[in-house]
Amino acid sequence: MAGKVITITSGKGGVGKTTTTANIAVALAQTGAKVVCIDADIGLRNLDVVMGLENRIVYDIVDIVEGRARVRQAMIKDKRLPEMYLIPAAQTRDKAAVSPADMIKLAEELRQDMDYILVDSPAGIERGFRNAVAPADQVLIVTNPEVSAVRDADRIVGLIEAEGKGPGHLIINRVKMEMVKRGDMLSQEDVLDILAIPLIGVVPEDEGILVSSNRGAPAALDDKNRAGQAYRDIARRLLGQDVPFMALEEKSGFLQRLGALFGAR
Amino acid sequence: MGEKVIGAASPATTVSIKGIRDGLLLTVRGAASWEEAAVAVLNRIDQTADFFRGARVALDVGDLEPEAEALAGLRQVLAERRVTLWTVLGTDAITTAAQAAGLNVAIPATSPDAPKTDEDVEFIHEEVGEAALLVSHTLRSGRSVRYAGHVVVMGDVNPGAEIVATGNIVVWGRLRGVAHAGADGEERAVVCALDLQPTQLRIAGKIATAPGPAGQPQPEIARVRDDRIVAERWSGTRAR
């Protein structure tokens, strides 16, 4: 079966596209799938850093497109997992170095022997975004529970629908449950109320994510990390499994849990 | 006098506006010269600059025959008002000039006064009413609908989306973006929605914002009363 191309995008920057891409890739690869990530953020590459593969870059995506390297040569193998690879972005070029047609061609080649091709889109709605979405079979839209990120996600959903790539699936990232409870943060329902697209993941805010990104070891590698667990759940949903959404309650004490059991508030 | 007066159009010149699939069609009739037609168009656009801002305009000047240079000049002046002149209709000579000026000549130049489709004719003649633009999907952030006439949306109008219509706006869904009814100056225009929570509501030259999150959503109709916009619960009786 030919591999599936999944593009991760958001419109707004800083909502966690790259972290999400790295973690879903790790979680998919942990199941034994063959996964390759493409960093489509040419000129502002990050995915290599988050995945901890920066020091192994020899060739990049522009080298492939311009014929200086074969696809296999530019694929960096992640040694922590059986079959995970990265095609890094070029840092010294810009979005115009690659066209949507180049991306489709590259994806077609990768489909032959990979199960999943994850494309990390740059922020914005311009060339880089169009490059990233062009080859997509499925689009994951990452947003944060804040008004501006949701507004941008709404724009992205509209553009994806116009491209005929379905409404996409939503990942709500960096949810702080205690803030939602205080009414200081949009709830999952508020976000879905505006966007009205299927939800595929809710990821709690987790300081561990920042630490793991800086260390180049995606949180999904850590069995105990809650955000990592949320990403593993997303991966399983992508594989077609029916995984219930985890309760994002703060860790509660024994007495509170006992109280909840008896319906006390 | 005998000299051409730039800046004034003869009263006999009329400019009519019609929403077409590709934007707005401006039809100029009764102008004695191209200059007069161009001035009439500019005056018309300046009257309701807000409505035209960002619009794509096709121009039908009948049997006038402007030079390519004059067309290019008008396009430049319109561009300064953020209006895109993309095609000019008329005789063969104009079409040639328009091509020379780099304009599109995609609309068939045959009788642009005639309604575009048979349905238009039948609809108007069968029932007393006016044609409207039906948008049968949700308008997400960044989408803009501009129409010379009424607009009906079956779906939501999300924050960041806008509708600008010279007539009424009806939203069968939640209106949370910007709606401008009667953009041409028609104060009798109304805006209705199943849930009326617009970022901003405009009717003709009046502007209002939603008073804040309401409790239970209910169908409402907004209109101008005593010089300001008021929203009332839809009572199921006549709209006017």
Side-chain angles (χ1 to χ4, degrees), chain A residues 151-158 161-162 167 192-197, chain B residues 137-143 156-161 174 176 195 199:
Chain A
R151 189 71 54 87
D152 288 1
D154 193 40
R155 178 90 163 105
I156 290 292
V157 175
E161 281 171 346
L192 288 172
D193 190 43
I194 292 274
L195 297 178
I197 64 170
Chain B
H137 54 85
T138 289
L139 292 172
R140 292 183 181 274
S141 179
R143 294 299 298 272
D156 295 343
V157 179
N158 283 359
R174 296 176 294 201
R176 291 190 281 201
D195 184 6
T199 312

Side-chain angles (χ1 to χ4, degrees), chain B residues 105-122:
Chain B
V105 285
I107 291 190
T110 51
S111 176
D113 270 349
K116 289 287 168 224
T117 57
D118 293 344
E119 295 104 73
D120 277 1
V121 184
E122 283 176 25

